[in-house]
């Protein structure tokens, strides 16, 4: 698939918020960030096995048959957070982070397209243990990457990362009670590492390629085609006519950013999405930092954001018609009475059937009003040498086409999961507490929220894993398995969004049941109670001694 192509054909790879805050927010803030007594356990005998040493360029020389208590796969926002929690809440456990790429950051290092930013506020996308100190609540990719690097350095975690190590297969041996990981190194060598517990923090989309529809005549276009997932610094759009295909979070980010230098940008969408403006900065958060310690101001702001998000999400889902009308009216107010909002910003589904796109300080709407951006809702018939022919008969001229057509889902980073040599079909398993798989021993998988910030769930998942590991050590257990009965087997996918990127890969995702712990809540308060304060020995998680 062509992700970036020069003309010579060479291919290279809502304002639905409030500044009101009550004493109850402060009380719940303390509750949310209260530390569970995990205990200081004696050193694990596995810790004495030693670790690898960094070579001159920051990679690590792996010892043959090296074993860890825990291996974390992925050095993005989830993996770095998991490492922090393990180091501080399960200090007796040896661990390492395996990262297939050569940099930390995951999403925030991979995506380099113009305007790349968070689509959630940083008070909830940030970690519970590290305050977000910048003034922008909706932050750019470089700021987020700096935040992650600070987290590594402040907690001495950088030397835990093994770069350039892609996990190909993970096999659980019941006889040995450990995972054996087959790893392909970036230098072409092969390695095997073993661990007692496998913690997947690799997200759920394919890093190597995004989704690209089979556009008729795609290769006929003589201009530049650049996929956002493979953006490179040499891509020049200054003074060019650009078509951005898509209507999701990537498209609404790209369009106003590219409009600053392009001659004209056309956002071409097959169908519209809900788009809501929200402030770039949280004024209350900025005021609180002037009067309170940063950690306390952060907790209060974080709690406010969490509660407002849950409140409005549930309200919108309960009264979808009312809020659909409200969201559309807000767009009409931004763009003026003469803009055709019914055609271009009125989806045919209810709010939160798919993720609602947010734009900071109405930047997309401002770009549209500036006449540097136009929005067209139509279907593509085929690509031509000079642009795109639509099914309506209109031809759009372009020097550059950017297919912001979505992600390609990929479970477990493409790793093959096995149990005693037999492959585990992830799509045939049932989710346990939104972070593990039925009948798979000593395993966790971070999957963030679709209706809120990813890191909220990642923090809770890592906290639960530490509680689980400490419980096992305290009681002398070596194996834990969420045991699924036939009666509890799930039938509904763990992610229920109607978004194309989910529906295209629905069979690859684990199922969910109808009752806890097999039900995936998508609710921070419910997960807080279950993962941070709920019983470890819940009758479903089975423990044994090897």
């Amino acid at each position: 698939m062509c992700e970036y192509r020069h003309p010579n054909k060479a291919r290279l790879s809502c304002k639905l918020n409030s500044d009101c805050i009550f004493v109850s927010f402060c009380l719940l803030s303390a509750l949310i960030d209260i530390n569970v007594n995990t205990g200081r356990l004696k050193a694990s005998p596995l810790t004495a096995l030693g670790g690898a040493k960094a070579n001159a360029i920051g990679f690590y020389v792996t010892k043959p048959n090296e074993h860890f208590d825990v291996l974390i796969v992925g050095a993005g926002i989830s993996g770095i957070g998991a490492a922090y929690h393990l180091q501080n809440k399960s200090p007796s456990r040896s661990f390492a982070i395996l990262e297939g790429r050569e940099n930390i950051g995951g999403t925030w290092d991979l995506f380099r397209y113009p305007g790349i930013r968070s689509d959630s506020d940083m008070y909830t996308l940030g970690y519970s243990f590290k305050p977000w100190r910048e003034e922008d609540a909706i932050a750019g990719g470089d700021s987020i990457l700096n935040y992650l690097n600070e987290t590594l350095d402040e907690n001495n975690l950088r030397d835990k990362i093994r770069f350039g190590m892609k996990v190909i297969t993970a096999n659980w041996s019941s006889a040995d009670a450990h995972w054996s990981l087959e790893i392909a190194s970036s230098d072409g060598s092969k390695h095997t590492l073993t661990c007692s517990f496998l913690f997947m923090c690799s997200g759920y989309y394919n890093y190597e390629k995004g989704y690209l529809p089979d556009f008729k005549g795609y290769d006929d276009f003589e201009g530049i085609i650049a996929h956002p997932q493979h953006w490179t610094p040499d891509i020049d759009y200054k003074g060019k006519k650009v078509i951005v295909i898509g209507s999701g979070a990537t498209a609404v980010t790209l369009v106003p950013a590219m409009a600053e230098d392009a001659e004209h940008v056309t956002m071409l969408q097959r169908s519209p999405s809900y788009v809501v403006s929200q402030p770039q900065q949280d004024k209350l958060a900025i005021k609180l930092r002037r009067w309170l310690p940063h950690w306390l101001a952060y907790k209060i702001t974080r709690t406010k954001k969490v509660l407002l998000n849950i409140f409005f999400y549930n309200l919108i889902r309960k009264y979808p018609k009312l809020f659909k009308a409200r969201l559309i009216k807000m767009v009409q107010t931004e763009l003026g009475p003469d803009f055709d909002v019914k055609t271009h910003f009125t989806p045919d589904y209810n709010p939160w059937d798919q993720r609602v796109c947010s734009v900071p300080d109405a930047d997309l709407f401002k770009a549209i009003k500036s006449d540097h951006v136009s929005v067209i809702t139509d279907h593509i018939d085929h690509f031509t040498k000079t642009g795109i022919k639509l099914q309506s008969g209109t031809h759009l001229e372009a020097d550059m086409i950017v297919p912001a057509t979505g992600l390609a889902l990929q479970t477990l980073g493409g790793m093959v999961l096995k149990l005693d040599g037999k492959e585990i079909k992830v799509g045939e398993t049932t989710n346990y507490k939104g972070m593990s798989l039925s009948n798979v021993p000593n395993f966790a998988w971070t999957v963030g929220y679709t209706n809120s910030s990813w890191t909220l769930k990642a923090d809770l998942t890592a906290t639960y894993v530490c509680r689980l590991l400490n419980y096992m050590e305290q009681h002398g257990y070596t194996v834990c398995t969420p045991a699924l009965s036939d009666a509890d087997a799930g039938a509904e996918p763990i992610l229920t969004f109607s978004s194309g990127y989910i529906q295209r890969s629905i069979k690859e995702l684990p199922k969910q049941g109808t009752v806890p712990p097999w039900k995936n809540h998508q609710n921070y308060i419910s997960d807080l109670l279950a993962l941070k304060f709920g019983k470890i020995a819940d009758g479903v998680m089975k423990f044994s001694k090897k």
Side-chain angles (χ1 to χ4, degrees), residues 111 131 150 164 175 194 257 342 469 511 526-527:
F111 286 93
E150 286 178 1
T194 61
K342 183 177 181 180
L469 293 173
K511 306 293 190 295
S526 297
D527 285 333

Side-chain angles (χ1 to χ4, degrees), residues 299-360:
K299 283 187 178 182
I300 293 173
T301 305
R302 182 180 175 88
T303 303
K304 182 198 77 167
K305 295 284 189 181
V306 167
L307 295 180
L308 284 174
N309 179 74
I310 292 172
F311 173 75
F312 282 115
Y313 174 78
N314 289 328
L315 199 62
I316 289 170
R317 296 303 283 171
K318 187 174 182 179
Y319 304 106
K321 291 183 179 179
L322 175 66
F323 279 92
K324 178 174 184 173
R326 173 60 178 157
L327 292 175
I328 293 169
K329 184 178 180 181
M330 291 166 61
V331 176
Q332 192 76 72
T333 300
E334 291 285 356
L335 293 175
D338 296 329
F339 190 87
D340 187 2
V341 169
K342 183 177 181 180
T343 298
H344 302 306
F345 287 97
T346 303
D348 59 3
Y349 57 86
N350 287 327
W352 285 113
D353 283 350
Q354 299 181 24
R355 194 173 177 98
V356 175
C357 298
S358 63
V359 292

